[in-house]
Amino acid sequence: MKHMLVTGGAGFVGSWVALGLRARLPGARVTALDNLRRRGSELNLARLRSGGVAFMHGDIRNPEDLEAVGKADLIVECSAEPSVLAGYGESPAYVLNTNLTGTLHCLEHARRHGAAMIFLSTSRVYPIETLNALPFEEQETRYELAAAQATPGVSEAGISERFPMEGSRSLYGATKLCSELILEEYLAMYGLRGIINRCGVIAGPWQMGKTDQGVAALWAARHVIGGRLDYIGFGGAGKQVRDLLHIEDLVDLIAHEVEHLDALSGQTFNVGGGRTGSVSLAEMTALCRELTGKQIEIGSVPETRAGDIRIYVTDYGKVAAATGWRPQRDARAILEDTCRWITDHRDVLAEVIGE
Ligand SMILES: NC(=O)c1ccc[n+]([C@@H]2O[C@H](COP(=O)([O-])OP(=O)(O)OC[C@H]3O[C@@H](n4cnc5c(N)ncnc54)[C@H](O)[C@@H]3O)[C@@H](O)[C@H]2O)c1
């Protein structure tokens, strides 16, 4: 890999991936392309610069901006409107034009230059109603999937790639799934190499958490900086569950994928923190209280919003079997790292994070 392009490279995932690849493959040139739409992405520019990553201000909705980057041997597609709420009650234009059309422009760039692609997809490709219809148990601090499940792709380990795909999944999930399908066709038709990572919740330092995206950073920020939070949906008790994946665990996986592209090309993986990395909102509150020594006001909104999911835990068995990778850092480590980062950059982050 002589030249690697990370789209969305000033974002949370993109900046870590660009810096991680640059550090692990010192002979390679890494370019981060980003339109800086996400508030706080501009704070990553100094990190990119000091880590030897070239930054290019550009928009994947414009093929000319990609062309200005020139030939790349690998594209890691991390740019997106990453909120599952995108499009609800507003125009779908941005999420469609970036997450679908923009990703197709990235694929075209890959085809024209013979580049491989690693695509950051999402667990949100799995349909909302089917996930919310899974039998569950209510425990003291969380909901848990019931042990007996009739739906394919569901086990005590969580949701695997065999989960049924019929049904609605939000425009965010749908644009990612459409992009996955076209990427698979590009691999088959044009002989490109590529890997799809369907990630659950990713978290850690440099995530500019806000009320509709980046829940762990939002929780940590409110506890460190101050403010209030709400448990929204599913009765308002904060018992909904997600698995958290530390960004550095994801970077470890992507670096492995880059080094083993030939062997792994064509694969679609569920990637996440898994059952041991899972937390409910209420459990996340308890961890944040313990880590910061602060107790903030948390309100309760019982009504569930469109798009909300009661329980999602990643079964990462397929990617673990193919690569030997497994997450090394649990939810406590993620929140500890995130709280420390916010404390260290409190003044500048107070203006940006948690909006
Ligand atoms: N963070 C998560 O929990 C999570 C989970 C699953 C999948 N993902 C996926 O990972 C990728 C990265 O997400 P993230 O958490 O880093 O989000 P992020 O918002 O921090 O980063 C996305 C970056 O893309 C940039 N961007 C947006 N529109 C663009 C455009 N048209 N052209 C160029 N740049 C553009 C933004 O400015 C931002 O810097 C996304 O594809 C997202 O869907 C994230």
Side-chain angles (χ1 to χ4, degrees):
M1 295 292 169
K2 284 190 193 131
H3 184 202
M4 294 182 267
L5 168 63
V6 181
T7 48
F12 167 52
V13 173
S15 60
W16 277 98
V17 167
L19 288 163
L21 292 179
R22 178 75 181 82
R24 283 164 217 230
L25 305 165
R29 197 154 61 88
V30 181
T31 302
L33 177 124
D34 201 296
N35 70 353
L36 301 182
R37 178 174 199 260
R38 177 73 178 255
R39 203 144 175 242
S41 287
E42 67 283 1
L43 300 177
N44 284 317
L45 298 184
R47 283 174 72 217
L48 293 173
R49 200 177 312 117
S50 61
V53 173
F55 174 69
M56 197 139 184
H57 189 243
D59 196 308
I60 62 162
R61 292 172 298 171
N62 299 330
E64 297 82 1
D65 287 1
L66 290 162
E67 219 28 64
V69 175
K71 178 175 164 53
D73 307 297
L74 170 74
I75 301 175
V76 188
E77 218 300 64
C78 303
S79 59
E81 165 47 71
S83 170
V84 73
L85 296 178
Y88 286 104
E90 61 181 18
S91 162
Y94 195 87
V95 63
L96 293 177
N97 292 340
T98 289
N99 294 15
L100 179 53
T101 313
T103 302
L104 301 189
H105 292 157
C106 295
L107 267 175
E108 248 313 274
H109 194 69
R111 183 189 69 79
R112 280 151 50 88
H113 295 285
M117 182 180 280
I118 294 179
F119 180 52
L120 270 287
S121 188
T122 170
S123 57
R124 287 299 195 150
V125 298
Y126 299 117
I128 296 164
E129 268 186 38
T130 323
L131 284 169
N132 281 340
L134 296 174
F136 67 94
E137 286 166 11
E138 183 168 355
Q139 300 183 349
E140 202 182 323
T141 60
R142 61 157 64 195
Y143 297 120
E144 275 278 9
L145 288 175
Q149 297 284 343
T151 309
V154 189
S155 72
E156 285 187 0
I159 308 298
S160 83
E161 298 81 355
R162 288 178 291 107
F163 196 77
M165 296 305 272
E166 296 80 22
S168 143
R169 50 183 52 80
S170 76
L171 277 179
Y172 171 66
T175 51
K176 291 286 186 176
L177 183 59
C178 291
S179 298
E180 286 189 9
L181 293 175
I182 306 289
L183 189 153
E184 282 176 18
E185 297 308 323
Y186 266 59
L187 302 193
M189 192 172 283
Y190 302 115
L192 298 182
R193 294 174 302 163
I195 298 168
I196 294 165
N197 293 312
R198 289 178 177 163
C199 300
V201 174
I202 310 162
W206 300 100
Q207 182 172 41
M208 307 300 165
K210 50 191 182 114
T211 47
D212 65 345
Q213 205 268 335
V215 65
L218 174 71
W219 237 250
R222 290 282 197 267
H223 280 84
V224 173
I225 297 170
R228 51 162 291 147
L229 289 164
D230 285 308
Y231 294 139
I232 302 174
F234 304 104
K239 293 190 177 184
Q240 56 267 60
V241 167
R242 294 288 182 283
D243 55 333
L244 306 185
L245 178 67
H246 196 296
I247 182 65
E248 293 186 69
D249 279 323
L250 179 62
V251 172
D252 288 344
L253 174 65
I254 290 176
H256 179 96
E257 290 176 342
V258 172
E259 283 163 17
H260 299 84
L261 255 173
D262 284 335
L264 297 172
S265 181
Q267 299 278 5
T268 297
F269 295 128
N270 279 2
V271 175
R275 198 177 148 82
T276 53
S278 72
V279 279
S280 68
L281 288 177
E283 291 164 355
M284 200 150 70
T285 302
L287 278 169
C288 287
R289 279 182 186 163
E290 192 190 318
L291 290 165
T292 62
K294 287 193 201 154
Q295 187 159 339
I296 61 164
E297 184 191 344
I298 306 202
S300 171
V301 181
E303 297 76 31
T304 305
R305 296 171 301 188
D308 281 350
I309 285 175
R310 184 188 303 274
I311 308 170
Y312 186 89
V313 174
T314 309
D315 177 349
Y316 59 76
K318 182 181 174 192
V319 71
T323 64
W325 172 91
R326 50 189 61 242
Q328 301 297 319
R329 301 146 178 105
D330 63 8
R332 170 185 288 275
I334 292 171
L335 289 166
E336 203 170 356
D337 287 355
T338 309
C339 286
R340 190 181 316 113
W341 164 66
I342 296 169
T343 306
D344 290 349
H345 299 80
R346 187 193 172 106
D347 290 346
V348 61
L349 290 177
E351 303 286 315
V352 169
I353 209 166
E355 296 264 305

